[in-house]
Amino acid sequence: GYYNDTESVDKSGSTVYFDYEICKSKYQWVIDKTFETYLKRYEYFECEAIKDDNWDALVAYKSDKLDDGYLLKYKDRVISVSGSIDFSKKNIAFIKEKCINW
């Protein structure tokens, strides 16, 4: 399955948002191939592998050029998320809850 959306968060008069794309599959080869495809796209945005326990992802990449974008690989899904939202621990938990329960 594939899903993408933009969430708006109205914060002190300015519109804060995050965009996300989710690719979900029960097949490991689909997850691996999808992640490789996203990773090639993210190379343009100069992403680098990070260790961030807040996401609980198997693999996490962060880009400083794509509105602080993240590329996350889980056992059954690949998530790409970016936006003007502050990626604080609280907001990461909110985004993760939304994207992992889909």
Side-chain angles (χ1 to χ4, degrees):
Y2 174 81
Y3 184 76
N4 73 325
D5 201 0
T6 298
E7 289 281 328
S8 294
V9 183
D10 195 22
K11 190 173 168 181
S12 64
S14 67
T15 303
V16 177
Y17 73 93
F18 65 94
D19 293 318
Y20 58 95
E21 296 177 16
I22 305 168
C23 176
K24 182 179 176 183
S25 177
K26 62 182 176 180
Y27 300 108
Q28 190 60 51
W29 69 269
V30 173
I31 296 299
D32 292 342
K33 189 70 174 165
T34 302
F35 188 76
E36 286 174 30
T37 302
Y38 271 97
L39 200 51
K40 284 180 183 164
R41 189 170 84 182
Y42 266 63
E43 280 176 5
Y44 174 77
F45 297 108
E46 297 176 11
C47 67
E48 61 184 53
I50 60 164
K51 181 76 176 132
D52 189 337
D53 294 334
N54 293 321
W55 289 107
D56 295 324
L58 299 173
V59 183
Y61 279 79
K62 182 178 186 304
S63 170
D64 292 325
K65 289 195 167 194
L66 187 64
D67 286 336
D68 281 335
Y70 288 89
L71 176 61
L72 308 158
K73 181 180 181 183
Y74 293 89
K75 188 176 138 193
D76 69 340
R77 70 193 66 212
V78 174
I79 299 172
S80 171
V81 63
S82 63
S84 64
I85 193 169
D86 171 27
F87 286 99
S88 64
K89 192 171 187 170
K90 178 182 170 192
N91 286 342
I92 287 173
F94 172 76
I95 294 167
K96 195 170 69 171
E97 175 79 20
K98 182 161 205 60
C99 293
I100 290 181
N101 286 333
W102 174 75

